Amino acid sequence: MTDSASTGGRLRRSRWLAVTVVAVLLLAACGDGDDDDASEAAAATTAAASDAGDAADGPAADDGCEPGETDGDLVFYNWADYIDEELLVAFEEESGISIDYSVYESNEQMLTQVESGAAIYDLVVPSDYMVALMISEDLLLPLDFDALPNAANIDDAWDNPPFDPEHRFHVAYQWGTTGIGMTYDVLDSLGGEASWAVIFDPETAATVPGDISMLDDAPEAVSAALKYLGYSITETIESGNEEAIREAGALLKATNDRLLKYDSVTFGDDLVNGEVDVAHGWSGGFAQAFFETDAYETHVYTIPIEGGVRWVDTMAIPHNADNVCSAHAMINFLLDAQNGAALTNYTYYGSPNTAATPYILDEILEDPGIYPPPEVYARLELIPQMGDLGLIVQDMLTEAKS
């Protein structure tokens, strides 16, 4: 039995269970105490974050907003295919305002837009390491937690993370992992245990009957190469190990010729429709594709034996937002227990919302590709804020693709 985490959707098949261990990591963390204890702990953290926000500069801290208060139509910039549109409609009906909704395909694309001011957004969804970068560049407003009573629903496992230690600028949105989707035929050829070698080792990759794709995302692509080379992502970034980054970049460049493409949007669909047999991608993207095509008997999501990336996406308000109260109202709306569950039931990513758990589909909660078992979770790393190394990381992917 492999301990690679594999993901499915609403139906779990017998073959699926033969290569995975079903566990619910966050439920175990939340289930040790009763719901009242969890709520009290979350409320205490929310109060502390509110105090910190009150002491900070900026419109959110100085002016404040009432829960549910709006101050204009909401301009919402989010990842592609990352929210049930019915939630957008429900918020418009509840609030009486309209949402101008647009999407991006990478953190870096979002950052460029916010930095340039070419368009003004009230609400964005940056990943963990990007939150740290945007804080360092004064691109985010501190949140007014008095306007976010539903923040008490967030599990305390997400309190005070390293990318926002005082928990002032973000609220967790969804979390997940990055690994490899493949056909079961490919997994069988690997001896039932996934490895980054299926992408990076020429001899192993040559056994793949079809094509291979990777995420068009520099931090993710470089991190995958680092894990294959035996490096810790965290140690590499935090120690400023430029040599290791360039070694990973050289590996990506050597791999480029055998890749069909770099893609961060259709990787799951490409896998199930046969355009590729191996795809680097995010857990929920594969889960959605498997569910929509009932592909659980032929395809599987895995976390390689060398390890991979875990991440959390967040809700944050850009420094130049026009409608700060509307942004807070939308954040609070999505932190509602049932709305939070509707979000996860659509995205098939993990929910940081403890109160949402009773409303989340059992098939999601019991899916080890979405909630990895402890022995798999231990092999996962957050991508730290890269600082000056970020430009080199981006250059590595650009050079690899050229």
Side-chain angles (χ1 to χ4, degrees):
M1 177 180 294
T2 178
D3 62 353
S4 297
S6 307
T7 191
R10 295 176 182 268
L11 298 176
R12 285 169 283 118
R13 311 292 187 172
S14 60
R15 189 173 184 190
W16 186 270
L17 295 177
V19 295
T20 58
V21 178
V22 175
V24 183
L25 184 65
L26 289 186
L27 284 181
C30 300
D32 291 338
D34 59 32
D35 292 342
D36 290 340
D37 291 341
S39 297
E40 290 173 7
T45 299
T46 301
S50 177
D51 292 341
D54 289 342
D57 294 330
D62 290 344
D63 300 335
C65 303
E66 294 296 322
E69 178 185 350
T70 59
D71 50 2
D73 291 342
L74 180 73
V75 185
F76 190 179
Y77 198 30
N78 194 1
W79 293 82
D81 200 25
Y82 209 21
I83 194 171
D84 186 342
E85 292 186 3
E86 292 183 5
L87 284 171
L88 301 179
V89 173
F91 178 75
E92 289 180 326
E93 292 176 348
E94 178 177 301
S95 66
I97 64 172
S98 297
I99 299 175
D100 179 357
Y101 187 78
S102 57
V103 301
Y104 51 89
E105 297 182 7
S106 73
N107 280 292
E108 288 67 32
Q109 180 183 351
M110 179 273 295
L111 177 65
T112 298
Q113 289 291 97
V114 172
E115 282 182 322
S116 69
I120 305 299
Y121 303 103
D122 300 314
L123 183 61
V124 294
V125 185
S127 299
D128 35 48
Y129 74 92
M130 185 54 63
V131 172
L133 177 59
M134 295 180 80
I135 291 173
S136 71
E137 296 187 1
D138 295 324
L139 294 175
L140 297 179
L141 293 176
L143 298 180
D144 176 5
F145 280 85
D146 288 338
L148 303 174
N150 287 336
N153 292 338
I154 296 296
D155 188 87
D156 57 12
W158 302 102
D159 289 344
N160 307 319
F163 56 87
D164 183 10
E166 297 180 6
H167 204 170
R168 295 172 56 208
F169 295 91
H170 84 283
V171 174
Y173 180 77
Q174 298 275 266
W175 73 275
T177 64
T178 312
I180 308 174
M182 61 184 71
T183 65
Y184 270 109
D185 288 341
V186 171
L187 184 64
D188 288 345
S189 74
L190 297 174
E193 188 166 70
S195 168
W196 289 113
V198 76
I199 295 175
F200 294 122
D201 176 66
E203 292 185 4
T204 306
T207 67
V208 177
D211 288 310
I212 300 171
S213 69
M214 288 195 70
L215 288 172
D216 191 9
D217 184 297
E220 288 280 17
V222 169
S223 293
L226 286 171
K227 296 301 285 186
Y228 173 70
L229 292 168
Y231 291 103
S232 161
I233 302 169
T234 303
E235 291 177 4
T236 298
I237 301 302
E238 291 183 349
S239 66
N241 189 344
E242 183 177 333
E243 182 179 348
I245 296 294
R246 294 193 179 279
E247 184 180 354
L251 179 61
L252 290 174
K253 190 170 184 65
T255 304
N256 186 54
D257 288 343
R258 59 178 172 271
L259 297 180
L260 176 66
K261 62 179 176 178
Y262 288 90
D263 175 78
S264 296
V265 178
T266 64
F267 56 88
D269 293 334
D270 291 344
L271 181 64
V272 298
N273 68 25
E275 185 170 351
V276 299
D277 281 349
V278 169
H280 174 219
W282 294 303
S283 51
F286 289 116
Q288 283 183 328
F290 296 168
F291 163 67
E292 291 169 358
T293 59
D294 195 24
Y296 313 118
E297 290 191 355
T298 54
H299 296 79
V300 62
Y301 170 71
T302 65
I303 293 171
I305 189 64
E306 301 93 345
V309 170
R310 62 180 173 89
W311 48 263
V312 59
D313 288 333
T314 76
M315 293 178 280
I317 301 177
H319 67 111
N320 55 355
D322 286 329
N323 301 304
V324 171
C325 290
S326 295
H328 280 83
M330 183 63 177
I331 294 171
N332 197 57
F333 175 84
L334 291 174
L335 294 177
D336 170 80
Q338 294 192 42
N339 292 338
L343 179 64
T344 285
N345 289 340
Y346 176 83
T347 66
Y348 273 64
Y349 286 109
S351 175
N353 189 330
T354 301
T357 301
Y359 308 104
I360 296 174
L361 296 170
D362 289 341
E363 293 83 355
I364 292 177
L365 295 174
E366 296 171 359
D367 189 324
I370 301 174
Y371 292 93
E375 66 273 18
V376 175
Y377 192 86
R379 301 201 303 265
L380 300 167
E381 296 185 79
L382 288 169
I383 300 175
Q385 206 281 97
M386 294 185 173
D388 293 340
L389 281 179
L391 293 176
I392 299 174
V393 167
Q394 189 64 52
D395 287 345
M396 292 301 95
L397 181 60
T398 301
E399 291 177 13
K401 294 164 62 177
S402 62

